Amino acid sequence: MLCLLVSVSSDAMATPSPAKSMGDPGITPLSPSHIQQNDTDSNAHTGPSFIVVVAVDFGTTSSGYAYAFTKEPECIHTMRRWEGGDPGVSNQKTPTTILLTPDRKFHSFGYAARDFYHDLDPTESKHWLYLEKFKMKLHTTAELSDQAGAEFDNTNIRWVITVPAIWKMPAKQFMREAAYKAGLVPRDTPEQLIIALEPEAASIYCRKLRLHQMIDIGTKTTQNGFSPNENVGAGMTQAKEPVRSKRQSRTFLVENVIGELWSELEEGDRYVVVDCGGGTVDLTVHQIQLPEGHLKELYKASGGPYGSIGIDYEFEKLLCKIFGPDFIDQFKIKRPAAWVDLMIAFESRKRAAAPDRTNPLNINLPFSFIDYYKKFRGHSVEHALRKSNVDFVKWSSQGMLRMNPDAMNALFKPTIDHIIQHLTDLFDKPEVCDIKFLFLVGGFAESPLLQQAVQNMLHGRSRIIIPHDVGLTILKGAVLFGLDPSVIKVRRSPLTYGVGVLNRYVEGKHPPDKMLVKDGTRWCTDVFDTFIVCDQSVALGETVKRSYTPAKPSQQVIIIHIYCSEKEGVGFISEPGVRKCGTLRLDVTGTETSAARREIQTHMQFGDTEIRAMAVDVATSRTVKASIDFLAQ
């Protein structure tokens, strides 16, 4: 028989005894007879009702928000038009940019920040702090009261913040902490904020799609008069969703039942969601569960930093090759606003790249670029282009770089190659077979080059579906997720989680260097007690229960170290690849009892987008404050 003893620590020191770990003094875990097994809590998402759900999508390149009232869930409201904006570019989202004054005070966000910074004098702009392509949070509730026709406060709002599925727990906790510090949600009502995984949100929205709300490029049929043999990107502007226009917002009407496309799915059918954003690409595999249409994750979320900003980096590398990295570095420092102008000009031409394009793409060079280069090098930009070894990029007398379509397409190639390789690896997995649909979502999904590459990779194995307003798919899905967080019934654990324990030492099974003798009993130290295994299916609300006892009655706080690994089979916390990733903190203040031995039972949930912890004092049935910290490592 094995004696399972959990390795823990506390703010109260105690003399080590056989009934606790020698590595971390403080509390006495219970014997195996008190260690509870996994259980499923069907009420994982019970909580207060909300009047409205607000979703905030903080993208690497652009951000936006949407909301819906619980009494009218089929109407999703999005920002109609942000202040500023670029001609020909949808501005229902705004650039993720923030401008701080010279004394580091907030000035503006989004288009307003970008345009104000652009208009600053170059000698003045260097004193301001302009940050772009990052994920942050900024929102108010004023418009919600206007739309509702009545005043209500923040307690009536459920907030949803989207994050990439490949983000680890520390990054998710960071977003939650930022929301607390900004006053978006009070720390004592954490249930007001839920974290939505971006591809999951997209998947939830795609359940509502009607045929007129999508483009199907995985078949040879025509949708909305659009043939898959044509330029696939051209169809992205033909959105026909039912829309209500309001003064400040745009309202999308979604089905209150499953969409026509979803009705083609049968029990057990599988599909893949590929979320192609500005910074990351996320891939998830879901299976449909009927009759409710709930979703089950079949393979843990995967992906990487293969977003569209990779194309911007390639363009910068091209400029460095032509004009020299020393000049580009100095230009960004000396003429920062002009550099922003140049990248805006490139962004608009980047969107025009297509597989069948034959005419050149012209990129306007700011006058300050041309002028500063001549002062820096002593010769003209045109001279630099003639002397460079860069093919397919010429100089126009109108002050523009003329890029041959092949040159533009070459900027896309490294990023798209990464995405296709990851997709290929995913489809080689045994769990990823017989995929009926591949949903291509996210802003980068608008790229005809990416669409063609995915189509060529699949060779007709799956139908490729691209929703209209593809850049808003995640935002709309996040609202739907906030209205019903229980729609994803089963997820896959991205890591193996557990704690360090002492077990009875077994000769021939345990390493000799792990043996510890205490009071005549031999123990094996550093044994990894597994809570959940990497890629294990975990039902929503499923809990892992463990019981602990304070080392002495006066103890107020119990600290338990949590370890994780990407490996499925972990034997010891000292193995390579195993690291301490968090701490479970149990505040037992106010639960003192006259009993000689106190039992604190903990419940940890792993089936949600975040790991949650709850605890109760068994003797008194009082709730114990329990929290998991993944940041203080």
Side-chain angles (χ1 to χ4, degrees):
M1 176 179 176
L2 297 179
C3 183
L4 187 63
L5 299 171
V6 182
S7 172
V8 295
S9 65
S10 165
D11 61 351
M13 301 298 292
T15 305
S17 71
K20 65 183 173 193
S21 164
M22 298 304 295
D24 288 317
I27 77 163
T28 305
L30 299 182
S31 63
S33 62
H34 294 95
I35 301 297
Q36 306 299 312
Q37 301 302 312
N38 290 3
D39 188 25
T40 299
D41 178 8
S42 59
N43 300 317
H45 280 285
T46 57
S49 58
F50 300 96
I51 296 177
V52 64
V53 170
V54 181
V56 187
D57 178 15
F58 298 108
T60 302
T61 55
S62 60
S63 297
Y65 69 88
Y67 58 93
F69 295 95
T70 53
K71 65 182 180 181
E72 199 178 19
E74 70 278 3
C75 296
I76 300 177
H77 308 267
T78 64
M79 185 66 178
R80 186 176 183 184
R81 190 178 190 280
W82 289 86
E83 180 184 352
D86 299 322
V89 178
S90 172
N91 58 358
Q92 290 174 76
K93 288 178 129 184
T94 194
T96 310
T97 55
I98 187 171
L99 182 63
L100 304 181
T101 63
D103 58 353
R104 298 305 183 254
K105 301 292 185 182
F106 171 79
H107 179 272
S108 49
F109 178 79
Y111 286 116
R114 193 196 68 184
D115 295 344
F116 186 91
Y117 185 67
H118 166 270
D119 293 337
L120 288 172
D121 183 89
T123 57
E124 185 183 2
S125 64
K126 63 184 179 182
H127 299 296
W128 291 63
L129 188 59
Y130 179 81
L131 306 170
E132 62 178 343
K133 294 186 173 69
F134 67 99
K135 297 205 170 188
M136 54 90 61
K137 164 212 54 58
L138 186 71
H139 194 60
T140 66
T141 63
E143 183 186 337
L144 299 177
S145 294
D146 179 60
Q147 292 285 343
E151 292 294 327
F152 59 93
D153 58 31
N154 193 39
T155 60
N156 301 125
I157 303 172
R158 161 169 274 169
W159 295 89
V160 184
I161 294 180
T162 64
V163 301
I166 59 173
W167 273 18
K168 300 295 190 292
M169 286 306 305
K172 296 176 186 178
Q173 185 180 335
F174 179 85
M175 294 298 286
R176 178 171 286 277
E177 289 294 326
Y180 291 154
K181 289 186 177 180
L184 196 70
V185 175
R187 193 178 292 273
D188 58 354
T189 58
E191 67 278 0
Q192 263 194 269
L193 171 66
I194 58 176
I195 301 296
L197 307 184
E198 290 167 0
E200 281 190 0
S203 179
I204 293 167
Y205 175 71
C206 288
R207 298 163 71 243
K208 304 286 188 178
L209 285 177
R210 302 295 300 271
L211 294 179
H212 64 266
Q213 296 172 319
M214 67 182 188
I215 296 172
D216 185 345
I217 65 173
T219 69
K220 296 301 181 183
T221 59
T222 298
Q223 297 283 350
N224 303 326
F226 169 73
S227 168
N229 295 322
E230 300 171 9
N231 183 340
V232 285
M236 302 311 297
T237 61
Q238 302 174 6
K240 302 293 184 183
E241 283 186 281
V243 170
R244 295 179 186 169
S245 294
K246 292 183 179 287
R247 179 171 58 87
Q248 292 175 300
S249 65
R250 187 180 182 205
T251 303
F252 293 88
L253 305 181
V254 298
E255 297 295 310
N256 56 10
V257 294
I258 62 172
E260 293 166 313
L261 181 70
W262 211 255
S263 64
E264 297 182 30
L265 290 171
E266 300 175 353
E267 175 74 33
D269 277 352
R270 306 173 176 198
Y271 63 94
V272 171
V273 177
V274 184
D275 172 22
C276 305
T280 60
V281 169
D282 274 346
L283 293 85
T284 55
V285 186
H286 282 159
Q287 186 177 50
I288 187 73
Q289 293 182 319
L290 297 178
E292 296 88 356
H294 291 143
L295 305 177
K296 174 183 179 180
E297 188 177 34
L298 286 182
Y299 186 76
K300 65 178 181 179
S302 60
Y306 316 134
S308 60
I309 59 172
I311 304 160
D312 299 345
Y313 296 148
E314 291 298 319
F315 178 61
E316 185 174 338
K317 285 165 61 177
L318 177 66
L319 294 177
C320 288
K321 189 173 181 181
I322 296 172
F323 303 108
D326 55 339
F327 166 73
I328 295 299
D329 289 343
Q330 281 299 304
F331 179 71
K332 290 163 70 174
I333 295 171
K334 299 294 186 181
R335 302 288 189 272
W339 175 257
V340 173
D341 278 350
L342 175 56
M343 294 310 295
I344 292 172
F346 173 70
E347 177 68 25
S348 66
R349 305 317 296 148
K350 181 175 73 174
R351 293 172 180 268
D356 55 354
R357 188 182 180 98
T358 56
N359 54 315
L361 296 109
N362 296 325
I363 301 172
N364 286 310
L365 283 182
F367 172 77
S368 58
F369 185 99
I370 299 169
D371 180 63
Y372 189 69
Y373 182 79
K374 189 167 186 178
K375 293 176 180 177
F376 190 87
R377 293 284 190 222
H379 55 255
S380 67
V381 166
E382 182 180 3
H383 175 83
L385 279 163
R386 283 200 310 265
K387 293 297 183 182
S388 72
N389 295 322
V390 176
D391 295 329
F392 309 123
V393 181
K394 306 299 180 185
W395 173 249
S396 165
S397 58
Q398 296 177 332
M400 294 183 288
L401 292 178
R402 292 177 62 84
M403 294 189 68
N404 183 292
D406 290 338
M408 178 63 81
N409 294 355
L411 301 182
F412 281 73
K413 190 176 187 305
T415 299
I416 290 179
D417 284 351
H418 278 301
I419 297 171
I420 296 305
Q421 183 59 56
H422 203 92
L423 262 177
T424 302
D425 293 342
L426 181 68
F427 272 75
D428 286 341
K429 304 289 184 185
E431 303 93 330
V432 188
C433 60
D434 300 323
I435 300 299
K436 194 162 189 175
F437 297 120
L438 183 145
F439 292 99
L440 202 56
V441 302
F444 193 17
E446 292 179 301
S447 167
L449 292 170
L450 176 59
Q451 294 170 3
Q452 184 188 67
V454 173
Q455 199 170 9
N456 292 341
M457 171 261 167
L458 286 176
H459 297 296
R461 287 180 287 176
S462 304
R463 289 170 61 185
I464 304 171
I465 306 298
I466 307 175
H468 284 304
D469 275 328
V470 66
L472 298 176
T473 300
I474 292 166
L475 201 48
K476 298 175 191 174
V479 173
L480 295 174
F481 178 66
L483 291 167
D484 180 16
S486 65
V487 64
I488 307 290
K489 289 297 185 184
V490 180
R491 291 183 173 88
R492 295 275 182 158
S493 176
L495 295 169
T496 296
Y497 290 97
V499 295
V501 302
L502 291 176
N503 277 358
R504 291 278 190 177
Y505 185 82
V506 178
E507 196 76 41
K509 176 183 177 181
H510 295 137
D513 61 336
K514 295 291 184 184
M515 186 176 69
L516 171 70
V517 180
K518 180 64 176 177
D519 296 333
T521 302
R522 298 195 303 174
W523 302 95
C524 181
T525 63
D526 296 338
V527 175
F528 189 91
D529 172 32
T530 302
F531 288 166
I532 210 84
V533 175
C534 180
D535 205 30
Q536 176 181 336
S537 291
V538 189
L540 181 66
E542 183 173 334
T543 63
V544 175
K545 295 183 182 179
R546 294 292 189 271
S547 293
Y548 307 103
T549 293
K552 50 187 180 180
S554 61
Q555 187 170 330
Q556 301 297 308
V557 177
I558 301 171
I559 301 294
I560 304 167
H561 299 309
I562 300 175
Y563 296 84
C564 69
S565 173
E566 295 183 359
K567 299 187 299 181
E568 292 185 16
V570 180
F572 299 94
I573 62 173
S574 55
E575 289 179 8
V578 179
R579 58 184 176 85
K580 191 177 83 168
C581 63
T583 53
L584 172 62
R585 187 178 191 272
L586 305 176
D587 185 348
V588 296
T589 305
T591 62
E592 293 81 358
T593 177
S594 58
R597 189 174 179 84
R598 295 169 62 197
E599 178 184 346
I600 308 298
Q601 189 177 82
T602 64
H603 303 244
M604 284 165 283
Q605 291 185 356
F606 289 89
D608 214 330
T609 58
E610 298 176 274
I611 299 175
R612 305 177 189 277
M614 296 156 286
V616 65
D617 187 307
V618 175
T620 63
S621 298
R622 292 179 181 174
T623 299
V624 173
K625 292 180 181 179
S627 60
I628 300 180
D629 187 0
F630 291 97
L631 287 175
Q633 302 305 314

